[in-house]
Amino acid sequence: MSVRLGVSPIGWSSDDLPELGGDTPLDLCLAEARQAGFAGIELGRKFPRDPAVLRPILERHGLALVSGGYGGRLLDRSVADELAAIEAHRALLAALGCDLLAYAEMSGGIAGDRRRKLSTRPQLRDGEWRDFGGRLTDLADRLARGGIRLAYRHRVGTVVESEAEIDRLMVATGDSVGLLLDTGHLAFAGADPVALAGRYGRRIAHVHCQDLRDDVLDWVRAGDASFLDAVVGGVFTVPGDGCIDFAAVLAALAAAEYRGWLVVAAEQDPAKAPPLACARLGFAHLSAAVARAGLGEGR
């Protein structure tokens, strides 16, 4: 077993701001992802949701489907209702051979609203964590019975953003709830990706490798900007182009014997950050870090 390198399409077409890369054809995104060297790609908003349509498209480009993010509403509805809402997404992943679903609780989230300042994000009260964790574990257990593991994705602008909130989530949930470690969102929130990788290595089910420009983050924090303004301003970038020490992150993952996908997921404006050039840089930097960490890259 070894790690595999994948990429998210958000460097070509933003999921949060359709005007960023809105005119980029899906075929160009897939062709450039493979040209840069990646073995797989995550779902994006331009992907067809019919597996009979999507499968031959991915096969034509020699790419596996890595996973797909799902914005949940478990705080607003029952586990049964949430499971029903997820079903079409789960079925698509399963049909294309994916065994992991990236889940983020988006109730009250501000990441998709450019008018909302980062300081206005929702937060759970002390008494709400146990119930949320219990219902999330129930949801993960039910998905696992169908062969899909839930990997919880902490996100800036949501109820699980900070290091302390990730800690509370891990305590409140069972082992069926995996953790999606996103280096960029961790650094944005002021957390240490290396420390989190070491602390929760056993439960890390998926990894997003996203670098951060700390000078842009300073501007964002000083002005309490929106998350989308931060994205447009260039706060995120590919590994090797920011301030995150990926060699240290991957060393911590190697110590935890992580086996799975490492996904370059740098949400940027493609007009300012040419996607193919960025994808090549991210792949090269991550591949070198993988080799140094002794993780071993599979195909």
Side-chain angles (χ1 to χ4, degrees):
M1 293 291 289
S2 58
V3 297
R4 301 179 74 191
L5 301 191
V7 69
S8 168
I10 57 175
W12 285 266
S13 299
S14 170
D15 281 348
D16 296 318
L17 275 177
E19 58 265 37
L20 298 185
D23 58 349
T24 303
L26 177 60
D27 269 344
L28 178 63
C29 166
L30 299 176
E32 291 188 344
R34 191 68 190 97
Q35 190 176 347
F38 293 102
I41 193 164
E42 290 190 334
L43 282 173
R45 63 183 177 85
K46 292 184 177 180
F47 286 57
R49 276 354 194 223
D50 181 344
V53 176
L54 181 55
R55 183 181 292 105
I57 294 174
L58 292 174
E59 289 176 349
R60 184 168 70 247
H61 291 283
L63 292 167
L65 183 64
V66 175
S67 181
Y70 182 85
R73 293 286 188 275
L74 195 54
L75 290 172
D76 297 333
R77 54 194 177 201
S78 69
V79 174
D81 287 344
E82 185 76 330
L83 196 65
I86 288 174
E87 176 52 27
H89 186 74
R90 184 211 65 80
L92 173 61
L93 296 179
L96 290 172
C98 296
D99 59 2
L100 183 137
L101 184 151
Y103 183 97
E105 178 59 45
M106 299 301 291
S107 299
I110 64 168
D113 188 344
R114 201 167 181 179
R115 300 166 297 178
R116 298 283 300 276
K117 296 180 180 297
L118 286 166
S119 61
T120 67
R121 75 175 179 94
Q123 298 185 55
L124 293 181
R125 296 186 294 271
D126 287 345
E128 295 177 314
W129 281 99
R130 182 175 179 179
D131 177 66
F132 177 56
R135 291 197 288 144
L136 186 61
T137 302
D138 187 8
L139 178 66
D141 288 343
R142 298 192 197 194
L143 288 170
R145 288 196 285 271
I148 297 285
R149 187 174 189 193
L150 183 149
Y152 192 90
R153 184 186 178 196
H154 55 90
R155 287 200 63 182
V156 170
T158 70
V159 294
V160 184
E161 174 185 290
S162 70
E163 185 168 348
E165 288 163 343
I166 294 171
D167 288 340
R168 297 197 75 167
L169 180 80
M170 293 289 95
V171 170
T173 55
D175 285 349
S176 60
V177 177
L179 178 65
L180 190 164
L181 187 83
D182 188 308
T183 57
H185 278 258
L186 282 174
F188 194 119
D192 180 0
V194 178
L196 268 292
R199 191 179 311 157
Y200 297 115
R202 185 178 62 86
R203 291 182 66 179
I204 293 173
H206 200 50
V207 180
H208 278 179
C209 298
Q210 186 162 213
D211 217 333
L212 191 83
R213 296 185 176 99
D214 49 7
D215 57 334
V216 179
L217 183 59
D218 289 343
W219 163 78
V220 170
R221 287 174 172 165
D224 193 18
S226 70
F227 176 76
L228 293 180
D229 280 340
V231 169
V232 173
V235 72
F236 294 123
T237 185
V238 296
D241 191 38
C243 62
I244 294 176
D245 183 353
F246 282 93
V249 173
L250 294 189
L253 290 173
E257 299 183 344
Y258 175 74
R259 296 293 182 268
W261 287 95
L262 300 173
V263 178
V264 173
E267 190 166 16
Q268 303 188 81
D269 182 350
K272 300 176 182 177
L276 178 56
C278 289
R280 282 175 164 159
L281 172 61
F283 182 85
H285 187 81
L286 206 54
S287 293
V290 164
R292 287 195 298 271
L295 280 167
E297 183 185 341
R299 290 289 177 180

